[in-house]
Amino acid sequence: MLKKLLLGGLGAALVLTAGILLGHFGIQRGSTIPGWIQDVTQDVDEDLIQRFISEVDNVEIQENLRELTKVPHMATTAGDERTVQYMLKRWQDPDTGLDRAWREEYLVYLSFPDPKTPNKVTVVNPSDTVLYTAREKEKEYGPDQKDPDVVQPYAAYAPAGHPKGKLVYANQGKPSDYLHLNQTLDLNGTIAITRYGGEGRAQKAINAAPYGVIGVLVYTDPRDINDGRMSDTNETYPHSWYMPPSGVERGSFNTQYGDLLTPYLAAKDDTYRISMAKITGIPPIPTQPIGFEDAYALICELGGRPAPSEWQGAFNCTYNLGGPGFKPTSTFKESQVQLDIYNRGEIKNSSNVMGVIRGSVEPDRYVIYGNHRDSWVHGAVDPSSGTSVMLEVTRVLGRMVKEGKWRPRRSVIFGSWGAEEFGLIGSAEYTEEYYSKLSERSVAYINVDISVFANATLRASGSPSAQSVILKASKQVKTPGSESTSVYDNWIRYFNRTSPTYGVIPNVGFLTGAGSDYAAFIHFLGITSMDISYTYDRTKTSARIYPAYHTAYDTFDYSSKFIDPGFTSHQTVARTAGNVLMRLADSLLLPFNCSDYAESLEAYLAKALELYTEGLAVHNISIEPLKSAVKTFRSAAASLDQMIRDSDLANETPLKVRGINDQLMLLDRAFLDPTAFPDQYGFRHVIWASSKASEPTFPGLADAYERAALSGLDEDWEEAHRQLSLLSQAILGAAHTLEEVI
């Protein structure tokens, strides 16, 4: 009994002492709560988002664009350096600039025409008399086209050479197109003329070479870009947005992105470089783009059989395949087409301009916003519409920071990428140089390249988990010219889909290729990414892209008259993209939804089951592991969602919030497999990698299955099995990252 009393007394004394100590320190702490307590619970401030939206100014964007397009600014030229200095000036402004801005340099391999010896395309008769010469430069309608720094249209990375041969028409230059020609024509020693579209630029020549084709011409058919319109008297620019007859789409003719001499290495002074002979994915034969007025003169004189109906274009003549060569009744009869190409490769210094607003709570977590700066000529739409928007976003946010009104929870990095037009080079080199840091710390990448293709509706693509934040931001911004209709409500009228979870919603596309600077972030690093723009009403035009794309007519005059008069669509993109950025930078819990990812995986699975189940089974390959993996992912995503709903995160420990955010942040990384696509530089994401398959489903499995089904070879079916296994295990691995930590 005495023992019990002594123990009880001791226990009471301990409790009393503890209470006194707790009370003492509790009172002390209560009277002076450390600042970090409030900091760690910082969440998105809706009032600040509304302030941001209200301060984005369309006139500021207009003036940004006017300044950015004063001169042509192709990568590494004097005009490019002028834009570098302008970006630095803006981002270092004491009143509206960022915390810090700087430039980063890379020595990269580019390709240029010879300014002293222009490329030529001619028709020559058997005695080498020139019967026809294609334009070397586009027609001048104003001072912009007269600028001496307007580069001649050319195919970057196409080799120099002087092929001469009979002409054939090869449609879009797809493998099936050359196969069709080869069934009735001897293509050895011919020159092929092809249309843009249907196949990548470089592939049109790569596909041609095995058949003995020695040179390729590429043009834009008015059917594909101009809704058939061809006359600059009253139908095309300068009277409308349509491409004039002499307009030529320049471009990078390579199939890979990043510096071609330093794959997986940042292109610095002392970096190891492969020999130029080892470069792959570029045209093996001379190639040259021309305007449709010159294509008309050539195609309408071709002899031979009529091309298939689906190969016919807008010209008022029958598109023949070529004999090879021209009609016997043509003034070009017995003549050949000669290409004189003087392109040359150079290693040049290219700059990224970088800026940062340092985060107040989690400075080691990065929200990255980027757009390339270089253009082929003046580049008012591509890319300066995006640069002008980015500068307005940074002006408004920078002022809020300088005034002490806002500082993001996480750091925000802005990137003005160089040499994108040559193959996404600036952004790719940045991801290679900072691979480890970006892999560990990046929350998301927002890409706004061409911010306004036209002024009808928003268009967005991205990782499925980012769908929710894009849709939420679009509901808070009004569509141009309306005080009542949101961007969301307008968007859903143009692009929508039926979600099993939400019903009819705007369609957020997938980032399945390497069309802009998001490529290295999503495909190489596995960073949740998105691409945001405004675009046109596809019921009113069949143009595959805005018609002045990569021509000398993509100018401030063109944009202000025909793309977005008043710049209110630019303003809307700035408001929407900036809204997304602030939510990603400030939200206590990252605004990602992993169940939306599950829905996308289930849609891909349904298509795979429909297409591949029976064919795989014939070769004793079961698709059940893939079904099981997707089911497990759905279950894990639902459990994480439930745990988030059940948590009062503002009152949880910071480590718990950080842990959940890491699960959300790293989800796309879980789908990376460096062994999945060994022949495709920078593609490691097994869900969103580029694919040649005709159906929207898992890319590696789709390509491997189609190849195996075509060839019937055992090794191809083994590759299909390998792709199925690595896909199933990647999805299962991603599911494990969403489960409760063990």
Side-chain angles (χ1 to χ4, degrees), residues 497-546:
R497 69 179 182 90
T498 300
S499 160
T501 307
Y502 309 108
V504 179
I505 59 173
N507 184 44
V508 177
F510 300 142
L511 298 175
T512 53
S516 188
D517 288 298
Y518 54 76
F521 292 93
I522 181 66
H523 297 305
F524 181 47
L525 294 181
I527 294 169
T528 299
S529 300
M530 62 209 78
D531 185 73
I532 300 172
S533 63
Y534 235 68
T535 191
Y536 42 87
D537 181 350
R538 294 187 181 274
T539 67
K540 294 182 178 179
T541 178
S542 61
R544 63 181 179 86
I545 197 167
Y546 73 97

Side-chain angles (χ1 to χ4, degrees), residues 389 451-452 454-456 480 534 563-574:
V389 161
S451 69
V452 180
N455 57 5
Y534 235 68
I563 297 294
D564 186 25
F567 292 86
T568 54
S569 294
H570 287 74
Q571 180 184 42
T572 301
V573 172

Side-chain angles (χ1 to χ4, degrees), residues 569-701:
S569 294
H570 287 74
Q571 180 184 42
T572 301
V573 172
R575 286 169 167 171
T576 305
N579 188 334
V580 171
L581 183 151
M582 292 182 74
R583 292 185 180 283
L584 291 169
D586 278 346
S587 295
L588 176 63
L589 179 74
L590 288 175
F592 294 150
N593 189 319
C594 51
S595 287
D596 290 344
Y597 221 123
E599 184 175 295
S600 296
L601 294 178
E602 288 162 350
Y604 265 26
L605 174 65
K607 181 58 69 174
L609 293 175
E610 173 193 336
L611 296 174
Y612 310 136
T613 302
E614 291 183 10
L616 291 170
V618 169
H619 292 83
N620 297 315
I621 304 170
S622 173
I623 204 167
E624 287 302 316
L626 181 58
K627 290 173 61 179
S628 177
V630 172
K631 183 178 179 180
T632 300
F633 185 94
R634 165 62 80 176
S635 176
S639 295
L640 180 59
D641 285 348
Q642 188 61 50
M643 189 265 282
I644 291 171
R645 285 193 295 269
D646 292 343
S647 301
D648 181 8
L649 294 177
N651 293 311
E652 295 281 1
T653 67
L655 289 178
K656 179 172 181 179
V657 178
R658 176 85 163 200
I660 295 172
N661 280 339
D662 283 353
Q663 287 176 287
L664 296 170
M665 179 183 81
L666 298 173
L667 178 56
D668 267 299
R669 303 317 189 264
F671 293 106
L672 298 182
D673 188 327
T675 70
F677 313 106
D679 297 329
Q680 296 185 61
Y681 162 82
F683 285 96
R684 306 192 303 161
H685 201 300
V686 301
I687 311 299
W688 309 126
S690 183
S691 171
K692 292 185 177 180
S694 56
E695 300 286 352
T697 187
F698 304 111
L701 175 61

Side-chain angles (χ1 to χ4, degrees), residues 117-122 124 130 152 159-164 217 286-288 337-343:
T117 313
N119 296 342
K120 287 183 180 293
V121 177
T122 54
V124 295
V130 175
Q152 177 199 13
H162 307 278
K164 179 171 68 173
L217 297 173
T287 305
Q288 176 69 17
V337 171
Q338 177 158 336
L339 277 61
D340 292 298
I341 308 301
Y342 300 95
N343 298 346

Side-chain angles (χ1 to χ4, degrees), residues 352-381:
N352 290 341
V353 180
M354 307 302 300
V356 65
I357 299 175
R358 183 176 173 82
S360 60
V361 181
E362 300 179 82
D364 63 332
R365 289 293 180 261
Y366 309 148
V367 176
I368 308 171
Y369 182 119
N371 171 48
H372 73 98
R373 187 187 61 258
D374 66 301
S375 64
W376 284 113
V377 193
H378 293 84
V381 180

Side-chain angles (χ1 to χ4, degrees), residues 699-709 716-717 719-721 723:
L701 175 61
D703 285 348
Y705 182 93
E706 290 194 2
R707 190 180 309 113
D716 287 341
W717 283 110
E719 175 61 15
H721 194 176
Q723 288 290 340

